[in-house]
Amino acid sequence: MLKLNTTRTMHSVAVQPPPIRPKERFLVFGSPLIEEAEIEEVVASMRSGWLGTGPKVARFEEDFRTYKDASHAVAVNSCTAALHLSILAAGLQPGDEVITSPLTFCATVNAIIHAGATPVLADVDPLTLNIDPQQVERRLSHRTRAILPIHFAGHPCDMDALCSLAEQHDLRLIEDCAHAIETEYRGRPAGTFGDFGCFSFYVTKNMVTGEGGMVLTHNEQDAARIKMLALHGMSKDAWKRFSDTGYKHYQVVECGFKYNMMDIQAAIGIHQLQRVEHYWLRRQEIWQRYNAAFADLPLTLPADTIADARHGHHLYTVMVDETRTGISRDHFLNAMTAQNIGVGVHYLSIPEHPYYQETFGWRPADYPHAMRIGRQTVSLPLSAKLTNDDVEDVIAAVYRVLGVA
Ligand SMILES: *Cc1c(COP(=O)(O)O)cnc(C)c1O
């Protein structure tokens, strides 16, 4: 046995090609770090035969609630679902207006529309890339019922100003925390300021379940309603219905949705959550390395974190201003890809898209900061999965692309 093994090892060493150096393979943007613990937990779910919403979802909700120091947590199958149900649970009616940021993923705005409300955009602060409370104030109308801020890239919004606006004008506050799992503002976790905090565990986010989301809320009835709406509007979920305590009838009490999280997803999330701080520290390290490496380049780097706050370090975004770099943002994107480095754009401003132009008459130039940022921004790889060599490859590629190598 031992002999055979030795022979095999020697043989395989002899025929192995030379190791592939990192820059010789494509570095996928936002690739998640998946470890053995979640692989084993998923396999255990498969072997148990309980794939759907069950005990692992309940545990993941409790673990996440504890991590965020929140009152109630309801797991769903995406942040988009979390936002949709939160807006419904906030009691918004058709025609009610929700003020949000033009610099966000389309899901934020689509959720408002699906909930039957009307989105209204307020431009961002050009430094923090977060919704500007003064712009929110300017967009208030007699129909405004809610504010939906995004903690962009994990940088907390000015929650003092937004909470006081919400209080003054009797508005609901729904936080899009898709980038902000680890984010804090004045010692308090993002997602616990508003009536609802909505999180994403999509594959590119700071922790993943494949697809997945969570709603945090202070209100027990809101939590119960969201849970019910996430499973067809049924009064009892399947886990309880098929348990060994005997069959129980359910009643459909509202026309709900199919937004529940599976135990297979929660199996991943339970273990990802245990490493969320560890991953955050690694991303902070990469962040600081980028800041140091790019300090003298003609790029605009991410703004310093506002006082008394913790940045979630979800996206490292640089601005490529052609008048300074001599190359356009899109050229920069293509050149990075040609260097085998995957990059992202977060985001072209919402009014750049034809659907919103046609439906709401929005024009990019009406939100000038979001428009400029959307046309200049590039997100560099920031996953905890990156090795030190990967990080140096990204830096070297940026230098080459800008012609300063
Ligand atoms: C990813 C993202 C969403 C949507 O999250 P899903 O879980 O994919 O539905 C919403 N808002 C922002 C800002 C996002 O980045």
Side-chain angles (χ1 to χ4, degrees):
M1 200 56 198
L2 187 67
K3 195 158 182 275
L4 186 65
N5 262 342
T6 312
T7 317
R8 264 202 201 140
T9 307
M10 286 174 65
H11 177 72
S12 68
V13 166
V15 296
Q16 244 173 23
I20 296 172
R21 304 212 325 279
K23 56 176 166 267
E24 290 168 357
R25 56 156 173 82
F26 188 70
L27 187 67
V28 177
F29 179 86
S31 179
L33 184 50
I34 306 289
E35 300 196 40
E36 274 314 307
E38 48 267 41
I39 292 172
E40 280 167 22
E41 191 81 40
V42 168
V43 171
S45 284
M46 304 280 288
R47 295 201 193 283
S48 83
W50 194 282
L51 310 182
T53 309
K56 285 180 186 171
V57 169
R59 176 173 160 205
F60 183 44
E61 287 173 335
E62 181 53 23
D63 289 356
F64 196 76
R65 188 194 69 73
T66 305
Y67 171 69
K68 294 296 295 186
D69 199 15
S71 319
H72 304 278
V74 182
V76 287
N77 61 8
S78 70
C79 183
T80 309
L83 290 164
H84 183 188
L85 297 184
S86 294
I87 299 164
L88 292 176
L92 269 69
Q93 303 294 323
D96 287 351
E97 292 177 357
V98 180
I99 300 179
T100 193
S101 169
L103 194 67
T104 186
F105 186 52
C106 58
T108 315
V109 176
N110 291 351
I112 296 170
I113 299 167
H114 285 310
T118 303
V120 171
L121 303 179
D123 205 0
V124 296
D125 176 306
L127 280 180
T128 65
L129 316 185
N130 279 326
I131 197 165
D132 178 351
Q134 288 183 349
Q135 292 293 330
V136 173
E137 200 160 7
R138 290 181 51 190
R139 303 281 169 174
L140 289 170
S141 82
H142 66 283
R143 294 174 157 241
T144 311
R145 295 286 175 273
I147 311 174
L148 205 171
I150 294 93
H151 302 291
F152 188 90
H155 199 174
C157 292
D158 181 349
M159 296 314 289
D160 279 351
L162 293 175
C163 289
S164 98
L165 270 178
E167 202 170 318
Q168 276 168 47
H169 299 276
D170 192 22
L171 307 174
R172 310 303 298 270
L173 188 58
I174 300 160
E175 300 173 66
D176 182 334
C177 298
H179 302 177
I181 291 172
E182 308 89 342
T183 298
E184 290 176 8
Y185 177 84
R186 302 204 191 289
R188 205 166 137 186
T192 64
F193 289 85
D195 300 280
F196 303 95
C198 300
F199 293 82
S200 175
F201 312 120
Y202 177 65
V203 284
T204 58
K205 302 293 158 79
N206 290 355
M207 56 166 279
V208 307
T209 62
E211 300 284 356
M214 190 81 76
V215 182
L216 299 181
T217 174
H218 303 291
N219 185 302
E220 190 175 352
Q221 273 144 24
D222 286 341
R225 176 137 186 257
I226 286 173
K227 197 164 205 134
M228 182 264 295
L229 283 172
L231 200 64
H232 307 295
M234 299 193 314
S235 59
K236 284 192 179 65
D237 65 35
W239 184 29
K240 288 177 190 134
R241 274 192 290 129
F242 298 118
S243 74
D244 55 12
T245 57
Y247 187 85
K248 293 186 185 64
H249 287 290
Y250 61 85
Q251 290 182 309
V252 176
V253 293
E254 277 198 70
C255 179
F257 303 87
K258 186 71 170 85
Y259 283 169
N260 56 306
M261 179 183 276
M262 299 170 73
D263 262 24
I264 290 191
Q265 295 166 299
I268 307 171
I270 287 165
H271 295 281
Q272 287 269 309
L273 182 60
Q274 286 174 13
R275 274 183 256 110
V276 73
E277 289 295 311
H278 178 67
Y279 288 173
W280 180 84
L281 283 170
R282 174 60 181 153
R283 293 198 312 278
Q284 186 188 45
E285 207 171 64
I286 299 168
W287 185 283
Q288 287 164 353
R289 175 73 190 112
Y290 284 162
N291 272 350
F294 301 145
D296 297 327
L297 299 185
L299 297 170
T300 306
L301 305 186
D304 290 340
T305 307
I306 56 171
D308 201 8
R310 184 195 199 203
H311 199 299
H313 295 322
H314 173 58
L315 297 171
Y316 189 92
T317 61
V318 297
M319 301 298 155
V320 179
D321 176 352
E322 191 167 357
T323 63
R324 291 176 64 202
T325 55
I327 61 167
S328 72
R329 189 275 304 275
D330 287 357
H331 180 130
F332 185 94
L333 292 172
N334 292 333
M336 286 297 286
T337 307
Q339 295 283 334
N340 263 348
I341 305 294
V343 284
V345 173
H346 302 87
Y347 302 91
L348 273 181
S349 79
I350 290 287
E352 301 270 12
H353 298 286
Y355 172 76
Y356 307 109
Q357 291 174 2
E358 286 156 21
T359 309
F360 302 106
W362 292 341
R363 289 168 309 173
D366 292 339
Y367 311 90
H369 294 312
M371 176 182 76
R372 179 189 55 80
I373 293 156
R375 293 177 181 185
Q376 294 185 345
T377 192
V378 176
S379 302
L380 300 177
L382 188 64
S383 164
K385 192 177 183 175
L386 300 186
T387 65
N388 287 342
D389 282 348
D390 290 336
V391 173
E392 296 311 312
D393 286 342
V394 173
I395 292 167
V398 169
Y399 273 64
R400 277 196 294 274
V401 166
L402 292 178
V404 289

